[in-house]
Amino acid sequence: MRTSIATVCLSGTLEEKMQAAALAGFHGIEVFEQDLVVSPSSPEQLREMAAELGLSLDMYQPFRDGVEVAPEVFPDSLRRLRAKFDLMRCLGTPVLLMCSNVATAALDDDRAIADQLRQAGELAAEYDIKLAYEALAWGKNVNDWRRAHRIVELADHPAVGTCLDSFHILSRGDTVDGVELLDPAKLFFVQLADAPLLKQDILSWSRHHRVFPGEGDFDLVDVLARLHECGYAGPVSLEIFNDAFRQADVYRTAVDGLRSLRWLEDQTADAVRAAGEDPAREPLVLSDLPDPQPPRAWDFVELRTSKLGQTTRLLHQLGFELAGHHRSKDTVQAWTQGPVRVVIGEDLQAPLEQPTRLAALGFQVDSPDDAAHRASRLLAPVVSRTQQPDETVLHGVLAPDATEIFFGPHGDRGVPPWLEEFGADPAEAASDSLITGVDHVNLAQPWQHYDEAVLFLTSLLDLHAQPAQEVAGPSGLVRSQVMRSADETVRIPLNVAPTAAEQGAYTGAAYPEHVALACSDIVAVARRARRRGLTFLPVPENYYEDLVARFDLAPDAVAELREHGLLYDRDERGEFLHFYTATLGEVFVEVVERRGDYRGFGAPNAPVRLAAQYRTWEETAGAI
Amino acid sequence: MRTSIATVCLSGTLEEKMQAAALAGFHGIEVFEQDLVVSPSSPEQLREMAAELGLSLDMYQPFRDGVEVAPEVFPDSLRRLRAKFDLMRCLGTPVLLMCSNVATAALDDDRAIADQLRQAGELAAEYDIKLAYEALAWGKNVNDWRRAHRIVELADHPAVGTCLDSFHILSRGDTVDGVELLDPAKLFFVQLADAPLLKQDILSWSRHHRVFPGEGDFDLVDVLARLHECGYAGPVSLEIFNDAFRQADVYRTAVDGLRSLRWLEDQTADAVRAAGEDPAREPLVLSDLPDPQPPRAWDFVELRTSKLGQTTRLLHQLGFELAGHHRSKDTVQAWTQGPVRVVIGEDLQAPLEQPTRLAALGFQVDSPDDAAHRASRLLAPVVSRTQQPDETVLHGVLAPDATEIFFGPHGDRGVPPWLEEFGADPAEAASDSLITGVDHVNLAQPWQHYDEAVLFLTSLLDLHAQPAQEVAGPSGLVRSQVMRSADETVRIPLNVAPTAAEQGAYTGAAYPEHVALACSDIVAVARRARRRGLTFLPVPENYYEDLVARFDLAPDAVAELREHGLLYDRDERGEFLHFYTATLGEVFVEVVERRGDYRGFGAPNAPVRLAAQYRTWEETAGAI
């Protein structure tokens, strides 16, 4: 599949955008007119630069309000077109995007519009240029791809074809049904954009909230599968107007974009194959990624700190036992409790004191090699750990929020080979314990990499995004969205903190991450922890009063919650009891007990936690 | 007018919100339930704290899904109500907000709903509490204030009344027509919220985009005038859900909120008086602010810098002449050209080098004393300048973006008395000059104070907000909105830069402010400036090519633009020629020539400027 990206998706200068697109691995780009207009490089220089980068300039865009105009205005359209064709010849761009008319539409008759389009095509042909006519969702008269294509067919000129843009089609509630029947020779260009389903006017939605495929709610596999069936073999290009992408690092965004296309191509090839067709028969989509490796189990959670004592104390208070120190790395130790393994890396080289923080997550998968190979094809940055020749090789990648993700083998007993490097006896690991597993791990995401993180976890770990929620805290709204594996083995709520410019800015201390441990007797865990001196996050008395009002709980039940500092939630399927520890540096631990089939994460209690953490933060870091 | 504010408008803990509301000068607050639930203070402690602060706790809110429910569920509503009434008694809150049902509505019959409301009212009366029933815009069955009020009338109980919220009414496209006819004894509470007109679902609009009165598009003067006519005398309270306010400094937001109510009360009193009624006859609205003092002329623009030489060179290159040095402050000098006065303050005490920046704006008004008194009543922070006994006193205030704003007297000749302190001869000031005035001044706004800035300029300077635009730059979208005086003497485009977390963050160097000077012969200004060695912001050749394509300009005209590095725009009313200087520190100068009745600001050329500034910034500050 020929991959392309419109320069409007990316931040920086045109030259920076071209370099980033080439470096990420795109075949070509669409040149957004404004990027060229503001560039000091001449079209000839840009053409040369593209050639050096091995990048094709697939399309020049957009040409606005060129057709559908009153006959007396049309000669000026031709004059404007000629100027652009002159430019495109210097630039070496073969296709011009001609949008349906928004501002000056005077014609509403298909044949009359087709006639203007044909005349424009005749002029284009003189320059060996093609016109790709696109129905904008907010086009005044032409806003429907079927009508635009009918007009293209009526124009009946070899230089006139259709451009399809998934956003302009799907945002209107329309479908791509029938795309598979199009004559591919009349389909000049395809733009793909995903978007979250938002209830707002299409123009604002389009200009601010488009995202790369896999980061939104549109079914783009269906779009690409139909293009495949139609026999389309041209560029598949990303045209994403997104406020965050416009500000993010240009190379990261380009990588994110290409990852989205590789993932989408793979998904589509699978879907085509599942439908009984041979994806290799056609040129468009190929399934050349190793199969996704969904996590079969949590392998480990890794903390890093320069305050080792407070970290081991916390683990011991929660019932963990020291499994041992790594045999070749004396700054690394492992603590276990039942199936939960926590690795602690001590920061000794750090010039300054480093807060305790969540550094890495390990997952057990069927084939760590396939997982690593797939990650590499999906352009994930590789993380490597030093190791001795006889030690386990753990494949690792860096997630967009800088968390390291490792793929380990999944054995029958679930005890990983690397644990033996800590001197642990695998036979001991299955002993009874109050903690029964990792319930979920909550990761804080920088807002400008949020969409990238969703796609990263979707494409690499086969996780699925649940609907987003918002939680009110004392310094703003926190956006939260759970990513989970199909069998719920792994659940990762992603949190985006408020930008909080004035409150001391976004910091790990103000909005810590956390590890939630599952148990079947939270009272016992809490009692043991309290005996061992754990500092719980305080729960206000007002909360318990409100709990009584909300749920009509029995006095005994509330007394027990209060005594152990537990929080409570309930839905139609079950109950949820949990407590939070105080924050260590940038991380804290939650312990949860699910009763019945409760599926949530105690979201109604999140404001209690945020408020208590805010008070602590104000008293310490925030007070500086 | 009794002013109140819901704690949900403000950031921080409940205790911080109460302190800020009291310090700003509100009479009371609405206690948002979640703020209380997460607070470690008991209701009794909060009641005591409110008493010490002189703050009344006007309402407890919200009580959700209490009525309109199935008969078998209603006893649980009464149980929940009783728990809240117990709490409110401890807290000392006289009114409970009862929202129309969103989740569990089972009744759609007015009499049946009224019966539940009456029963709830009977229970409330036992606690000496009142219920204010409010139609949420997204209530399942009751979403219209007229229906809610009809149900209240049917309930016919002294403890049952109506709560009106301007957002829930106006967001639906409904009006407040008829509010003036309501029985004020049945109107228990009023919440005011403004909002920009957005085309999106009401729930998201309400939860994220409400703003204080005067910061949005709703006609709240009409709402308040009808309440006045009705005889309502209860609290007028702000209930604003706003993503930025939730993050901003709590005291600033409280001040912004009270300013909005004082301004709205004054506007309403004027409107009531204009309608022939005596505003003093009724208790609700009073016109106790001095009249607004719209700017009659620009008095001065003040730059501050530790690089004096580069600043005076720029002014000289643009044709300014030194008027003199201030007789008692030797770090201050004035430069003039025709009616334009630029004051430069030299930063000598600064420990580090300070960039050249826009520090203050001076406006001539009819009554500087009234302007200062009005500003003070509108809670604007006062700025004072040291001066000798015989020197002019300039009243100054600090705008939300930290620009200082001064009010000077407007004389017939327009030459301000303070200029004589620089040794300038008033008779010389009227000499011919190429520069004919200040066309506009562009101020950069931190995003979290944007709405505050709009209200500040509206309420203090009587400026009016024009529709906002967005301009694409290499590191994100820049939002731009022009504030102008009715006669267009003063035009201030406000710009909000992208958050740009990764690109080196928001800085004055990356997104400078600027002063635009008007002239009637821009070629002459450009020629003189070039001769004197001015560094122009470079305009790319591609821009001129595109200009030809867009406007079909004559070759001569384009050649002249190109020769002098001018940019060009045109609309149906006239033409606009302009150029930009290179940036000095955090400020640059634009020179503009308006031909015909062109009203814009050359917005289509803003991307050219942003791109050129970005390249320069990358080469200097950005490269660090």
Side-chain angles (χ1 to χ4, degrees), chain A residues 10-17 33-43 46 60 76 79-80 83-84 87 198-201 204 207-208 243 246-250 252 447-449 470 472-477 498-503 540-543 545-546 548-553 604 607-609 611-612 614-615 618, chain B residues 10-17 33-43 46 60 76 79-80 83-84 87 198-201 204 207-208 243 246-250 252 447-449 470 472-477 498-503 540-543 545-546 548-553 604 607-609 611-612 614-615 618:
Chain A
L10 302 170
S11 67
T13 66
L14 180 54
E15 297 78 2
E16 289 166 348
K17 294 171 191 220
E33 178 164 84
Q34 186 173 289
D35 283 325
L36 180 126
V37 166
V38 305
S39 167
S41 306
S42 70
L46 292 168
Y60 187 81
D76 194 59
R79 182 195 63 74
R80 287 198 294 133
K84 292 303 158 191
L87 165 68
L198 299 178
K199 289 184 213 156
Q200 60 178 228
D201 68 300
S204 308
R207 289 210 175 143
H208 301 286
D243 290 358
R246 285 179 187 273
Q247 301 181 41
D249 174 79
V250 58
R252 270 184 87 142
W447 64 269
Q448 70 274 34
H449 299 307
E470 274 167 347
S475 54
L477 293 178
T499 315
E502 278 193 333
Q503 303 277 350
E541 176 56 28
N542 294 339
Y543 169 78
E545 295 293 334
D546 181 63
V548 171
R550 276 197 288 150
F551 292 119
D552 199 15
L553 293 177
V608 177
R609 168 171 69 78
Y614 175 81
R615 283 177 192 270
E618 270 196 324
Chain B
L10 302 170
S11 67
T13 64
L14 180 55
E15 297 79 2
E16 288 166 349
K17 295 172 190 218
E33 177 165 83
Q34 187 174 287
D35 283 325
L36 181 126
V37 166
V38 305
S39 166
S41 305
S42 69
L46 292 168
Y60 186 82
D76 194 59
R79 183 194 61 75
R80 287 198 293 134
K84 293 302 159 191
L87 165 68
L198 298 177
K199 290 184 212 155
Q200 59 178 230
D201 67 300
S204 309
R207 290 212 174 141
H208 301 287
D243 289 358
R246 285 179 188 272
Q247 300 180 42
D249 174 80
V250 58
R252 271 185 87 143
W447 63 270
Q448 70 273 34
H449 299 307
E470 273 165 349
S475 53
L477 294 178
T499 315
E502 279 194 332
Q503 304 276 349
E541 177 56 28
N542 294 340
Y543 168 79
E545 295 294 335
D546 181 63
V548 171
R550 276 196 288 151
F551 291 118
D552 200 15
L553 293 177
V608 177
R609 167 171 71 76
Y614 175 80
R615 283 177 193 271
E618 270 196 322

Side-chain angles (χ1 to χ4, degrees), chain A residues 52-106:
Chain A
E52 280 168 15
L53 290 168
L55 206 60
S56 63
L57 304 180
D58 295 325
M59 183 153 82
Y60 187 81
Q61 64 119 317
F63 192 83
R64 296 199 177 93
D65 301 332
V67 291
E68 311 167 41
V69 298
E72 64 275 17
V73 177
F74 189 60
D76 194 59
S77 287
L78 292 176
R79 182 195 63 74
R80 287 198 294 133
L81 275 173
R82 200 172 280 117
K84 292 303 158 191
F85 293 154
D86 282 334
L87 165 68
M88 289 171 66
R89 191 143 64 178
C90 300
L91 201 55
T93 341
V95 182
L96 176 68
L97 179 70
M98 172 87 82
C99 301
S100 66
N101 198 310
V102 173
T104 61

Side-chain angles (χ1 to χ4, degrees), chain A residues 220-221 224-225 228 263-273 285:
Chain A
L220 297 181
V221 168
L224 199 56
H228 173 81
W263 171 80
L264 183 68
E265 180 178 8
D266 189 59
Q267 294 280 109
T268 307
D270 286 351
V272 166
R273 191 187 297 111
V285 293

Side-chain angles (χ1 to χ4, degrees), chain B residues 456-479:
Chain B
F456 188 91
L457 295 174
T458 301
S459 60
L460 266 78
L461 287 175
D462 205 23
L463 302 189
H464 303 272
Q466 308 300 302
Q469 285 192 304
E470 273 165 349
V471 178
S475 53
L477 294 178
V478 176
R479 180 190 152 105

